[in-house]
């Protein structure tokens, strides 16, 4: 495709009109952009497939690849064995999902308590000489020292 600056002058249209045209072509899946290289025409999809947004087009390609891989992987399974495998995966998924939700909730509670205690800040340095100083006090001290150093610069 032509660069935007040539398209608008060659066809005597405003730059914004050319940009809108490119945007529409990209939305319809007819063109794609490569950062630093330009905008290019997409190869025509297989016969029988319609042009859709680029994400749908790429998604369909990925689904087709996965279907071909699955057909090869599960070719030796009977229908009953395939259905049993799916049921087993569904049962395992329920357990994993529940464990994930439990861990997520527990982690959120811990983070809230850390925040409440003022422990959300990383330690500024490993200084065991001042174990009673809170993280917020260490931060204030470090900021004050930094300010002094900046003021002393010529």
């Amino acid at each position: 495709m032509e660069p935007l600056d040539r398209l608008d002058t060659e066809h005597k249209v405003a730059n914004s009109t050319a940009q809108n045209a490119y945007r529409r072509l990209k939305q319809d899946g007819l063109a794609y952009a490569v950062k630093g290289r330009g905008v290019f025409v997409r190869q025509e999809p297989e016969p029988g497939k319609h042009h859709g947004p680029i994400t749908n087009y790429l998604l369909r390609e990925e689904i087709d690849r996965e279907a071909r891989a699955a057909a090869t992987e599960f070719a030796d399974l009977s229908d009953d064995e395939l259905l049993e495998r799916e049921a087993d995966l569904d049962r395992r998924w329920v357990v994993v999902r529940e464990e994930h939700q439990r861990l997520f909730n527990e982690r959120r509670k811990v983070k809230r308590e850390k925040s409440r205690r003022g422990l959300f800040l990383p330690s500024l340095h490993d200084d065991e000489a001042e174990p009673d100083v809170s993280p917020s006090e260490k931060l204030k001290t470090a900021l004050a020292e930094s300010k002094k150093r900046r003021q002393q610069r010529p």
Side-chain angles (χ1 to χ4, degrees):
M1 282 200 147
E2 300 170 342
L4 284 175
D5 59 344
R6 276 191 34 215
L7 185 65
D8 58 2
T9 56
E10 189 173 311
H11 295 283
K12 296 182 174 110
V13 296
N15 188 356
S16 61
T17 302
Q19 289 176 353
N20 288 335
Y22 276 121
R23 188 176 305 114
R24 180 61 190 261
L25 289 170
K26 287 190 276 184
Q27 288 171 348
D28 290 343
L30 300 172
Y32 65 99
V34 177
K35 189 173 182 177
R37 295 198 51 215
V39 179
F40 302 91
V41 175
R42 180 167 301 286
Q43 289 183 355
E44 190 171 342
E46 296 172 24
K49 291 187 176 183
H50 66 282
H51 295 283
I54 182 67
T55 51
N56 289 342
Y57 179 76
L58 295 175
L59 182 60
R60 283 194 304 272
E61 272 185 1
E62 180 65 23
I63 289 170
D64 288 345
R65 274 195 299 275
E66 287 178 6
R68 286 190 298 275
T72 304
E73 184 178 347
F74 301 123
D76 61 329
L77 296 179
S78 69
D79 291 350
D80 290 338
E81 291 171 325
L82 188 62
L83 292 172
E84 180 55 38
R85 180 173 278 188
E86 180 185 31
D88 180 51
L89 290 171
D90 288 344
R91 286 188 292 272
R92 289 169 52 198
W93 176 246
V94 168
V95 172
V96 169
R97 189 174 57 222
E98 289 171 352
E99 177 67 4
H100 174 269
Q101 190 63 48
R102 186 189 67 72
L103 290 173
F104 179 81
N105 290 337
E106 185 176 340
R107 187 169 181 263
R108 185 172 49 193
K109 288 178 189 176
V110 168
K111 285 188 169 290
R112 284 182 181 157
E113 180 61 14
K114 276 178 54 182
S115 178
R116 188 187 72 77
R117 292 182 184 189
L119 300 174
F120 56 88
L121 299 172
S123 60
L124 298 172
H125 48 79
D126 189 19
D127 188 358
E128 295 299 323
E130 305 175 280
D132 295 334
V133 178
S134 72
S136 59
E137 287 299 319
K138 286 182 182 180
L139 178 61
K140 288 178 186 174
T141 303
L143 290 173
E145 290 172 6
S146 175
K147 185 176 180 180
K148 285 180 190 175
R149 283 193 302 271
R150 282 194 310 268
Q151 291 173 346
Q152 292 173 356
R153 290 183 191 159

